Amino acid sequence: MNCQDALDLLYDIIDREASEIDAQRVKEHLDNCRDCFEVYRLEQSVQDLINERVQNSFDTPKVDELKAKIISRLDEIDRENPNKRETSFFRLSTRTLVAAASLVILIGASFMIAAFYRHNDLYKPLERAHWSAEENPNEFQNSPVTSAILADIQQNHRLDLAPELMDYRMIGGGTREIMGARMNHLVYTNDDGFVSVFLVPADQFEISSDLQETRIVKGGIVFFDHNCRGCRLVYHRAGSLVVITASTDRELDLYNFVPEQSII
């Protein structure tokens, strides 16, 4: 196993979703590669912090209770150190700063937890579907349902899908339920990498409002871009469909990867 193979499996290892064989192969690589081990250690630390925040969030007291506990502890410290004198201004400032800091920490943790859950709900299922296509392209190769998918898109949505785009060619497709919607999943490859194209009726799937800040117009098409550590997802509307392209190649111009063509 080389470094790229190990890093490709790293997040499955951290999420405990890799097979026992893959986990053992990655472990053997990490034992002998300091660079990959450092990446693993950093990512695991981040994941541990998120998990801790998520777990603790269920037992976190209200802000007023948290501040009261901190101030109560300050009073205990004062009683334990009766010879230590502070001006009322200093005591007030200390308490205010501690309470404010506690509030900031609590709010920061809440935002972190919310972002974690939103990513898992809105993007992770699509990312996993694309990763699965990269790992098992034979599942899509010459799939018998591909022609049915293309016919459905043509008849019901008045679109043709390009068999080749840029230097990628379509190898096949499948249909699966993702995020509560029935999606057609087509896979393109240029032998060096893969691009997934998900097509779903717009009345069954809504592009997240979280992506409004990424809005970009190119060639008369409005795109929305989600780019995270594991995968890049680019969304756009094509008639009655939402089209989502996915790739782990961050150099690929997904704004030009527009496979649908209107039927006149």
Side-chain angles (χ1 to χ4, degrees), residues 149-162 199 236-243 259-264:
I149 292 173
L150 298 179
D152 173 70
I153 298 300
Q154 184 180 72
Q155 294 170 11
N156 296 321
H157 301 282
R158 305 296 297 166
L159 295 174
D160 276 331
L161 295 177
L199 304 108
H236 70 275
R237 284 286 301 270
S240 57
L241 291 173
V242 173
V243 181
E260 72 279 357
Q261 303 166 356
S262 297
I263 299 175
I264 299 175

Side-chain angles (χ1 to χ4, degrees), residues 27-63:
K27 180 180 183 301
E28 291 173 357
H29 179 81
L30 294 178
D31 288 342
N32 295 285
C33 179
R34 183 174 181 81
D35 290 340
C36 287
F37 177 76
E38 290 300 325
V39 174
Y40 166 77
R41 188 171 65 172
L42 175 61
E43 293 292 343
Q44 184 66 66
S45 297
V46 172
Q47 189 66 47
D48 288 345
L49 175 61
I50 292 174
N51 290 341
E52 179 184 351
R53 295 299 188 188
V54 171
Q55 181 64 38
N56 290 343
S57 67
F58 296 104
D59 301 318
T60 301
K62 295 179 180 179
V63 174

Side-chain angles (χ1 to χ4, degrees), residues 128-141:
R128 291 193 186 283
H130 173 66
W131 294 337
S132 177
E134 284 191 327
E135 294 172 359
N136 303 292
N138 291 337
E139 178 184 341
F140 296 84
Q141 189 82 39

Side-chain angles (χ1 to χ4, degrees), residues 219-261:
I221 301 175
V222 178
F223 294 95
F224 300 91
D225 196 336
H226 173 72
N227 198 350
C228 72
R229 69 181 188 180
C231 190
R232 185 180 180 194
L233 303 170
V234 172
Y235 303 71
H236 70 275
R237 284 286 301 270
S240 57
L241 291 173
V242 173
V243 181
I244 308 160
T245 50
S247 176
T248 53
D249 180 1
R250 300 183 186 282
E251 301 301 319
L252 181 61
D253 184 2
L254 290 179
Y255 297 140
N256 281 323
F257 204 99
V258 182
E260 72 279 357
Q261 303 166 356

Side-chain angles (χ1 to χ4, degrees), residues 87-98:
T87 65
S88 59
F89 173 77
F90 179 76
R91 287 175 57 80
L92 178 61
S93 298
T94 301
R95 294 184 181 193
T96 301
L97 288 173
V98 171

